[in-house]
Amino acid sequence: MRAARLIKMVLLLQSRASMTAAELARELEVSERTITRDAQALSEAGVPVYADRGRAGGYRLVGGYRTRLTGLARSEAEALFLSGVPGALREMGLEDAASAARLKVSAALLPSVRDASRAAAQRFHLDAPAWFSEPETPELLPAVADAVWDDRRIVARYRRGEAEVERSLEPYGLVLKAGVWYVCARVPDAEAGSFRVYRIDRFTAVTLDEERFRRDGEFDLPGFWRERADQFARSILRAEVVVRVSPDGVRRLPYVLDPASAKEALDAPGAPDARGWVTVTLPVESEEVAHTQLSGLGPEVEVLSPATLRDRFARDAVRLAELYR
C-alpha cells in the first residue's frame, strides 16, 4: 500500500514543477503529516525530493530526476493501452502520434508486459455510434482539433436554421457523443465570456487565428459537458402527461421514455392501487412524442390527462380492436 503511494507521489512530482503538502495529501488521500514522512522516506531511498519552505513552498524533484515505466504491472499496462480510442484519434488526425506514443511506452515496459497492447486490443473495442446510424466524420474536425490542442482561437461559420452565422471562438475541448462530434468553446465577445456547445458537422468554414487564447485553468470539460447535457435533456421536456402504469409498465418505462423523463417520474410515484398500478406525472417533449413513446407500453399504461391525448389512445384502442376482431 505504502509502496504504491510512494510511486504515485514520485510520478505526481515528476509531472508538475512543484506541489504543496496539502495538494499531495489531497491527491493521495492521506494527511500532510504522512506526506512529510513519505518525502523523507523517498529522500533516504535516493529519490531527490526537495522541500521549499515558505508560503510559496512545496515539494519538487531536483536534478531533472525521471523514473522509468518499468514498475508497471500487467493490469496497469493493459489499462494504459485501453485509454486511447482509435476511431476518434483517427478522425482528429492524431493516429500517427498515438501510434508513436504507444511504441515508446511499449519500449519502456518490462519484457513480461510488452504484449499488453495486443492483449488489450483483443479484449476491448469501443464502437461509439448508436445502432442503425452511419455518422460521417465532419470535414473540419481536424482543423478544430488542432485549435483545441494548440489553444488557438478560430473564426467559425456555422449553420443556424436557414442562415449562416460567423463567430470567434476559443475552443476548449472536444466531445464525441453517440457518433456526433461537439466542440465546447468560450465566446469571448459574449457576456462574461460564456461557454457554449457547437456541433462540428454544422460548421461550414473554420479559420485558425494566429492569436492564442489564455485557457481558464479551472475549466472542467467532463463536468461542463455533464451539466450541459442534463440541461439539454430537461429543456426539451416542455409538456406533462399523467398516466396510470401497471407494475410491468413501471419496469418497462425507462426503455420507452427519455431517461430523464422516466427518472423524474419514478422518483415521485403515487401510492399503488389494489392491482399495483401507480399514477405518475411524466415530463415529455410534446403530446405527439408522448403518443409515440407510450404506445410501446400497450395495455400496461392508461393516459389520464391531457384529455386530447387520452382521446387519441381511445381511438387507437378502437382501431386495434377492429383490426384484431
Side-chain angles (χ1 to χ4, degrees):
M1 181 70 177
R2 190 190 185 200
R5 187 176 72 242
L6 291 175
I7 292 173
K8 187 174 181 181
M9 182 174 176
V10 172
L11 294 175
L12 284 169
L13 293 175
Q14 189 171 291
S15 64
R16 306 182 195 180
S18 176
M19 294 184 70
T20 65
E23 290 171 336
L24 285 166
R26 188 163 53 250
E27 289 278 357
L28 300 174
E29 299 180 347
V30 295
S31 67
E32 292 186 34
R33 185 185 295 268
T34 298
I35 293 298
T36 301
R37 289 197 297 265
D38 286 352
Q40 180 64 31
L42 287 171
S43 180
E44 292 174 355
V47 178
V49 178
Y50 181 78
D52 290 315
R53 306 296 181 184
R55 291 182 59 187
Y59 292 95
R60 60 185 176 87
L61 295 174
V62 297
Y65 179 85
R66 308 292 292 177
T67 186
R68 292 173 59 83
L69 292 174
T70 51
L72 281 178
R74 169 170 291 277
S75 60
E76 294 168 335
E78 290 173 347
L80 175 65
F81 284 110
L82 282 178
S83 63
V85 184
L89 292 170
R90 182 174 58 253
E91 292 176 7
M92 288 189 291
L94 297 174
E95 187 175 29
D96 290 343
S99 177
R102 284 193 294 269
L103 284 173
K104 290 178 180 178
V105 172
S106 294
L109 293 172
L110 288 171
S112 59
V113 294
R114 281 182 186 164
D115 66 339
S117 175
R118 185 171 61 87
Q122 289 175 335
R123 289 163 173 80
F124 179 82
H125 172 69
L126 175 63
D127 185 8
W131 286 103
F132 313 116
S133 63
E134 292 292 337
E136 295 184 1
T137 303
E139 182 180 347
L140 297 171
L141 175 61
V144 177
D146 285 346
V148 168
W149 287 111
D150 208 22
D151 292 343
R152 297 267 293 278
R153 286 188 177 183
I154 61 173
V155 177
R157 291 187 62 82
Y158 65 96
R159 295 186 300 274
R160 189 167 68 183
E162 298 298 320
E164 279 197 2
V165 179
E166 184 173 283
R167 182 151 290 166
S168 175
L169 302 174
E170 295 177 352
Y172 267 64
L174 296 169
V175 175
L176 177 60
K177 171 71 171 179
V180 179
W181 283 96
Y182 299 86
V183 60
C184 303
R186 182 177 176 273
V187 184
D189 56 354
E191 182 178 354
S194 60
F195 287 90
R196 299 177 186 174
V197 177
Y198 299 88
R199 278 183 61 147
I200 298 178
D201 59 6
R202 293 180 182 166
F203 284 6
T204 59
V206 171
T207 304
L208 271 67
D209 199 320
E210 291 299 322
E211 180 182 358
R212 286 179 168 81
F213 62 89
R214 185 171 183 177
R215 179 176 287 265
D216 181 357
E218 299 298 317
F219 179 75
D220 174 20
L221 179 60
F224 171 79
W225 178 258
R226 282 195 303 272
E227 180 181 341
R228 286 304 173 93
D230 290 345
Q231 289 176 0
F232 173 75
R234 191 61 185 86
S235 69
I236 64 174
L237 304 176
R238 302 184 182 94
E240 286 188 346
V241 174
V242 180
V243 298
R244 289 178 64 244
V245 193
S246 71
D248 185 49
V250 168
R251 287 191 293 271
R252 293 164 54 188
L253 202 60
Y255 301 99
V256 300
L257 288 181
D258 300 304
S261 175
K263 182 178 186 306
E264 184 170 328
L266 296 177
D267 280 348
D273 62 17
R275 297 169 56 200
W277 287 53
V278 295
T279 299
V280 295
T281 300
L282 304 174
V284 295
E285 188 172 345
S286 65
E287 280 192 30
E288 183 69 30
V289 172
H291 176 260
T292 301
Q293 293 174 328
L294 293 175
S295 293
L297 291 180
E300 304 304 324
V301 63
E302 177 191 2
V303 174
L304 302 179
S305 69
T308 51
L309 184 59
R310 181 179 175 86
D311 290 343
R312 189 167 181 174
F313 273 94
R315 291 193 297 272
D316 287 350
V318 171
R319 292 175 60 196
L320 283 169
E322 292 175 349
L323 185 63
Y324 286 99
R325 181 171 298 156

